[in-house]
Amino acid sequence: LPGLASLIDVLRIVHVSDLLADGPRRLHRAVIDALCCADMDLVVLTGDYMTRRGREANPSELVREICRHVVPPHGIYGVYGNHDSALLSEELKPLPIQWLANRSAAPTALPLEILGLDFLNFGRCDAPALLPDRAAASGATLPRRTTILLCHFPNCLPIASDMGVDLMLCGHTHGGQCRLPGGRALINSTDLPLRLTSGLLRHRDTLCVVSRGLGEVHMPMRVFCPRQIPIVTLRRGPLPGAATNGIVNLRRW
């Protein structure tokens, strides 16, 4: 990021998305073990901790376990996805996670602004609600803050670009979940073209990381589409690719 705040040398963000944890699985122990081994500055969660209403107990316990074992220096920040319920959000409120329901937060020790668009209960994002927070956080006496947007859906990338966000982190697509040999997705549950199903995207001067996530829907299987917990490392430098009014996939995964 050419505009990475001057007080940030390197920033490592662990990105957890689409746990979809309706029942206990050996996978969940592996997820916690992987997080415990990761070199991180902060953790972000981008929604879909559960699949179906009435099954909040297991995802609630899994997120609690993550919080018990993972204590990043600059905190944990999260938003909800379309599968998550109001009951789950109530159960997770006491945890040491800053839930960004159409609002922003600023870690005290970093010139960083983290924004969140919320889709709880299939709600619609409310980007204008973030504008007062952004105005309050960008006073003339403060150094420039690097802005990161958490959002479940990747098709909000143009909104992030309009808002002048540096980096957007999202999930939802599961990377296609079941793909053809060579990694071509058959479906991504968004209105984005299939070539944008996962990877590092760019729209104008905003980058976007679309994680393949960890869980599944409809079928408990993945084909040519491994699970993923991206670790995003930010450094100062030129943006990859070129500015365009379209969305470009700079690095597929």
Side-chain angles (χ1 to χ4, degrees), residues 30-228:
V31 167
I32 292 171
D33 290 345
L35 291 173
C36 289
C37 295
D39 184 9
M40 66 182 76
D41 295 302
L42 57 91
V43 172
V44 300
L45 313 172
T46 55
D48 275 7
Y49 312 100
M50 58 181 287
T51 303
R52 283 175 283 184
R53 305 297 191 272
R55 296 191 175 184
E56 286 84 0
N58 198 73
S60 176
E61 180 56 30
L62 177 56
V63 177
R64 284 193 188 94
E65 279 291 299
I66 290 173
C67 290
R68 275 196 284 267
H69 290 87
V70 181
V71 186
H74 298 291
I76 305 176
Y77 303 83
V79 294
Y80 289 100
N82 56 290
H83 281 285
D84 300 316
S85 69
L87 176 58
L88 180 67
S89 70
E90 286 298 317
E91 293 184 0
L92 298 182
K93 270 184 181 179
L95 297 182
I97 299 172
Q98 290 207 49
W99 295 107
L100 304 178
N102 301 314
R103 67 181 188 87
S104 67
T108 55
L110 289 174
L112 190 67
E113 185 184 8
I114 305 175
L115 317 172
L117 290 177
D118 204 60
F119 288 91
L120 189 64
N121 287 329
F122 290 89
R124 296 186 180 276
C125 71
D126 188 7
L130 289 166
L131 297 180
D133 278 358
R134 297 210 66 195
S138 59
T141 60
L142 296 175
R144 185 196 184 279
R145 294 174 182 266
T146 296
T147 56
I148 297 173
L149 176 67
L150 310 184
C151 180
H152 185 63
F153 290 101
N155 47 311
C156 290
L157 176 53
I159 296 174
S161 178
D162 288 344
M163 294 172 65
V165 166
D166 295 302
L167 174 67
M168 174 172 146
L169 299 167
C170 60
H172 180 67
T173 68
H174 310 168
Q177 190 169 314
C178 294
R179 307 197 294 201
L180 296 174
R184 181 182 174 187
L186 300 173
I187 189 171
N188 63 20
S189 300
T190 79
D191 54 5
L192 291 180
L194 292 176
R195 68 179 184 277
L196 304 178
T197 295
S198 63
L200 177 65
L201 312 183
R202 177 173 175 177
H203 179 51
R204 301 187 208 139
D205 291 329
T206 298
L207 297 181
C208 175
V209 170
V210 187
S211 171
R212 292 192 304 262
L214 290 158
E216 309 92 15
V217 293
H218 306 306
M219 299 178 294
M221 62 184 294
R222 284 176 173 250
V223 179
F224 299 115
C225 187
R227 299 176 180 88
Q228 183 182 42

